[in-house]
Amino acid sequence: MGDHIMKWEYKTVRYEAAGLFSTKAKTDEPDRLLNQLGVDGWELAATLHPTTSSAENLLIFKRATPERR
């Protein structure tokens, strides 16, 4: 039996956070996006906050690639 090597594919999503004490109305849009990505097999692997002067975050998702035959 050979060793099984897991192969991954990645997806990035830019997300602008409103902030913890934001007065903006809350929406379920992020939940819908995350739930749909989960249904499609994506798992949140990391978050990056590129600069301190921006509220933008980069969400990095991964999922196993289908085995090629």
Side-chain angles (χ1 to χ4, degrees):
M1 292 186 181
D3 291 333
H4 179 72
I5 298 173
M6 184 68 78
K7 295 183 181 179
W8 302 98
E9 64 179 324
Y10 295 89
K11 174 188 263 319
T12 58
V13 175
R14 293 186 185 281
Y15 176 73
E16 186 169 331
L20 183 60
F21 300 106
S22 172
T23 58
K24 292 182 180 180
K26 291 185 178 182
T27 176
D28 64 348
E29 186 176 331
D31 290 344
R32 278 186 279 162
L33 172 64
L34 292 170
N35 286 328
Q36 185 57 54
L37 288 168
V39 166
D40 293 341
W42 293 102
E43 176 182 357
L44 182 62
T47 59
L48 299 175
H49 189 73
T51 66
T52 57
S53 62
S54 170
E56 185 176 81
N57 294 291
L58 187 63
L59 308 178
I60 303 170
F61 294 85
K62 71 176 185 177
R63 71 177 174 187
T65 58
E67 288 189 36
R68 302 191 193 279
R69 297 185 191 265

